[in-house]
């Protein structure tokens, strides 16, 4: 059976089809479901009759977690199956943000680490006599690499803030020209790109 709380949580359109306690047979609820929800309810029905302990469902931009369990008599005899469904959309979004941040940060770590290693190895070469100007250039590049790594570490720490819910966005007007210039400068540090920056007047105002 499914109760009205189940309908209110997932699809209020189902509520008229569900009677008060003890609710309506699950098969009847499935039959009354809108087309978009039908496949998810069918999956839930299959999981309830199987051995799964939980099931993730999605409908209308929301995500739900169904915790499934056996219903037993005091003597331990199984007489049916039950399920508790809760909305986990917020947790799902946080997990996606975390995964995205990890993926980006892991990829971005490679560039400064590789550049830093190359510069250190250059300075340590015993068979090379570098000019003082070139040594300073290498050291300056190493400083930039360390700065890039510090920024990436800060991004990693943001993962913990996302998970704890303590990360807060501060929305304010910025000059898009400065944002673009910052990205260009970061790309130029490693000499990977040869970029020419041209910004039209429509992008100079704060946004």
């Amino acid at each position: 059976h499914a109760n009205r709380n189940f309908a209110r949580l997932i699809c209020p359109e189902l509520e008229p089809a569900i009677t008060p306690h003890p609710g309506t047979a699950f098969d009847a609820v499935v039959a009354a479901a809108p087309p978009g929800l039908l496949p998810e309810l069918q999956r839930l029905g299959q999981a309830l009759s199987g051995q799964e302990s939980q099931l993730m469902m999605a409908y209308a931009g929301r995500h739900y977690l169904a915790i499934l369990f056996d219903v037993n008599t005091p003597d331990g005899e199984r007489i049916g199956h039950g399920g508790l469904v809760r909305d986990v959309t917020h947790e799902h979004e946080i997990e996606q943000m975390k995964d995205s941040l990890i993926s980006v940060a892991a990829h971005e770590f490679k560039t400064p680490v590789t550049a830093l290693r190359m510069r250190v190895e250059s300075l340590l070469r015993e068979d090379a006599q570098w000019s003082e100007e070139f040594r300073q250039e290498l050291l300056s590049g190493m400083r930039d690499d360390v700065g890039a790594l510090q920024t990436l570490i800060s991004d990693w720490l943001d993962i913990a803030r996302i998970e704890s819910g303590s990360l807060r966005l501060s929305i304010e007007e910025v000059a898009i020209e400065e944002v673009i210039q910052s990205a260009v400068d970061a790309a130029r540090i490693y000499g990977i790109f040869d970029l020419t920056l041209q910004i039209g007047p429509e992008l100079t105002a704060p946004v």
Side-chain angles (χ1 to χ4, degrees):
H1 287 70
N3 59 32
R4 287 184 172 177
N5 287 333
F6 175 80
R8 294 189 189 107
L9 179 67
I10 295 183
C11 180
E13 299 172 32
L14 286 176
E15 191 170 350
I18 299 179
T19 60
H21 183 78
T24 298
F26 189 75
D27 288 345
V29 175
V30 173
L37 180 59
L38 183 59
E40 295 297 279
L41 293 186
Q42 289 174 335
R43 290 178 58 237
L44 178 58
Q46 293 171 356
L48 284 168
S49 59
Q51 300 297 319
E52 297 182 61
S53 61
Q54 64 181 34
L55 176 71
M56 286 295 299
M57 302 187 301
Y59 175 67
R62 309 293 296 180
H63 296 267
Y64 305 92
L65 174 64
I67 306 296
L68 312 175
F69 52 86
D70 292 333
V71 179
N72 302 322
T73 66
D75 297 329
E77 179 185 358
R78 187 173 68 180
I79 59 175
H81 306 279
L84 297 174
V85 180
R86 69 184 186 92
D87 190 328
V88 294
T89 301
H90 180 64
E91 291 91 333
H92 179 79
E93 291 173 347
I94 288 177
E95 194 66 23
Q96 284 190 319
M97 290 172 63
K98 183 183 71 173
D99 291 345
S100 176
L101 186 55
I102 289 175
S103 177
V104 170
H107 176 75
E108 292 297 324
F109 260 110
K110 295 179 181 179
T111 300
V113 168
T114 300
L116 185 59
R117 179 179 178 179
M118 291 175 60
R119 290 179 172 122
V120 169
E121 289 178 347
S122 295
L123 286 174
L124 292 176
R125 285 183 57 182
E126 296 180 356
D127 61 336
Q129 298 295 323
W130 306 120
S131 66
E132 184 60 25
E133 180 181 358
F134 185 67
R135 288 171 59 86
Q136 290 301 318
E137 183 180 336
L138 289 176
L139 290 172
S140 177
M142 291 167 65
R143 180 187 59 195
D144 292 336
D145 295 334
V146 170
L149 288 172
Q150 288 178 324
T151 299
L152 290 170
I153 290 171
S154 177
D155 290 343
W156 275 89
L157 293 176
D158 284 342
I159 294 174
R161 299 188 186 99
I162 290 173
E163 289 183 319
S164 66
S166 62
L167 183 67
R168 296 290 183 267
L169 299 180
S170 177
I171 300 176
E172 58 184 16
E173 288 188 348
V174 298
I176 193 64
E177 180 180 4
E178 296 178 4
V179 176
I180 296 173
Q181 185 64 59
S182 176
V184 170
D185 291 342
R188 284 174 175 161
I189 287 176
Y190 308 108
I192 299 175
F193 304 106
D194 182 13
L195 300 174
T196 300
L197 182 62
Q198 292 182 332
I199 297 178
E202 68 278 6
L203 294 180
T204 58
V207 295

